[in-house]
Amino acid sequence: MESFSLLQWICIALFFCLCFGADPFANYEFELSYITASPLGVAQQVIAVNGKFPGPVINVTTNYNVVVNVKNKLDENLLITWSGIQMRRSSWQDGVLGTNCPIPPNWNWTYQFQVKDQIGSFFYFPSLNMQRASGGFGPFIITNRNIIPIPFNMPDGDIVIMIGDWYTRNHTALRKALDGGKALGMPDGVLINGKGPYKYNSTLVPDGIDYETINVNPGKTYRIRVHNVGVSTCLNFRIQNHNLLLAETEGYYTSQQNYTSLDIHVGQSYSFLVTMDQNASSDYYIVASARFVNQSLWQRVTGVAVLHYSNSKGKATGPLPDPPNDVYDTSYSLNQAMSIRQNVSASGARPNPQGSFHYGSINVTDVYVLQSLPPTTIDGKLRATYNGISFVNPDTPIRLADVYKVKGAYKLDFPNKPLDRPPRIDRSIINATYKGFIEIILQNNDSVVQSFHMDGYSFFVVGMGYGIWTENNRGSYNRWDAISRSSVQVFAGGWTAVFVSLDNVGVWNLRADNLDRWYLGQETYMRIVNPEDKSNKTEFPVPDNALYCGALSSKQKPQKTSSASIIRACSKLYFALLAVLLSAASQPFSEYGNEVSMGANLHRAIIQDLALEKLKMKLVVAPLPSSSLTRLCSSSESL
């Protein structure tokens, strides 16, 4: 091929690798809008994503770059957050008010982040003002790279089940109730994949309810990913006559053990391996029922779907499988939670075993006790607190305030333990230390079980118990194979202890995942800064398409096409160049062997794209300054 010189090969390779990096991009377009649906038989306004409720799945592979252009067709501000996605070095993409200015109605904003060194089952949802109570959520799956084995046989199929308590009032009505000092009260039901219960009982379930059916084949094993995306209710999940072999939770493989049912708290995600080993004399019930409540009063707050074998001989009939019989005793649930252990020998997103990080032998640098109490009235408003502080989000997001030196946007005075003083509304956040190793004790003195979530990290759940935590409780900690996750339950009148290694620079939200408590101010942020980083090695700079608000509102330009259009242009260019390369590759690559070996500064890279994963080529790559890359990709829009 005389027309292709070494320089031309290098130029093509530079476009290929440096506009795209070694890791592929996955592009999504999300439009959030209102639709009318009747999941419980009552017509109501729900939030759909691309017209769907729940929203579409994001399914990518470890280290993929994810680009999601979000169009806000609601009548109020919007942000999308990505529960469990760690946003390494980029809290700018986290999608909560402490890190992002909201997307106004009829605007769009493009998220761009890498799912760096992560695998597992997660979900996305709208983070503002109780919006998740009206929908807008969907599953987020990160699969292993082919070179990393999974610690079980490849399942025959992958099934997502999203469960959650549900109100026939929409999020604005629920907000109004809380603003008026009222509790939300009992939910109207439980949805499974956005649908109401199968009519297992003619008294409790009215006619005309659309229910979910999960179709399976006998003898096959499926990976079933279950997410509790509800408002505030812990749900017991079970499948009639089938064992649930727990395999993964929120990005970490677990020691595999069977459960007949599992309590899934708000914000939590699990993967089960379920083998279809029954005789299919009829369909089977899939049940999600409320926990720690009076069942006679809450009987209608039960989600029921149908597991349908392809050779099933009839519909599911009879009573539902029994839930745990411990309404007023949470010890069973607590012991079950602590039985979930990490598979220390399995590889996660990286080749090294999950247990190679010996968290139990690391010295703790800081201890924080976060105490929650029942909501109380502060300055005439119903509020919820951590350590007596009910958080109110700053007008200017925290890191934007740092970069542009906005004074007074927040305070770095969040107390590391409860103080003997009246509760107050404030903007206090935690001033944490980069590369510290901290212990957080979640002390729940509220009257309801709560879920605690941390953005940007997973943490080791080393202990749970009842009463007031003391230093003596450290003797009961699991220092070897504690599960690592991003959402954990804290039982009423009890405590949960977690360890966290602070290696991710940024500002990260710590919150109650119970939507009512979160809305009432039970949250704060952890600010982690690397003072030695002067060149954005540990934290990415402010995105080019950042939205501005608060004290920086004057910097906001009128809405225009997102900068992610450059990425999509590079994507189109990528495939065009790939076609050229494939054409060139029709000639033996050995023709260029001598030329390749002559380049002393050249190195080799393997380029792979999901859409063409069978078409792999070894390309010659030379370094290119980042400024040249910027000009190169920017100019590609005109191609």
Side-chain angles (χ1 to χ4, degrees), residues 15-89:
F15 268 90
F16 208 117
C17 293
L18 295 172
C19 264
F20 248 83
D23 299 305
F25 279 74
N27 293 285
Y28 293 86
E29 294 282 340
F30 277 8
E31 180 177 287
L32 276 81
S33 63
Y34 295 118
I35 63 171
T36 300
S38 306
L40 294 177
V42 178
Q44 64 180 117
Q45 186 184 71
V46 305
I47 298 175
V49 183
N50 297 348
K52 297 179 180 180
F53 170 67
V57 62
I58 292 178
N59 195 335
V60 295
T61 300
T62 300
N63 293 343
Y64 265 44
N65 297 287
V66 181
V67 181
V68 186
N69 185 37
V70 174
K71 300 175 183 177
N72 180 11
K73 296 299 183 180
L74 307 181
D75 58 1
E76 59 184 8
N77 289 341
L78 172 72
L79 282 173
I80 299 293
T81 193
W82 321 86
S83 185
I85 306 301
Q86 294 179 4
M87 302 294 172
R88 305 296 298 181
R89 299 190 291 164

Side-chain angles (χ1 to χ4, degrees), residues 19 50 75 86 113 164 183 239 330 364-365 449 496 543:
C19 264
N50 297 348
D75 58 1
Q86 294 179 4
F113 53 88
I239 301 177
T330 57
V364 170
T365 58
V449 62
T496 296

Side-chain angles (χ1 to χ4, degrees), residues 24-26 64 571 574-575 578 608-615:
F25 279 74
Y64 265 44
S571 178
Y574 165 76
F575 288 110
L578 181 59
Q608 178 179 354
D609 184 84
L610 182 64
L612 298 162
E613 62 183 311
K614 293 184 179 179
L615 303 176

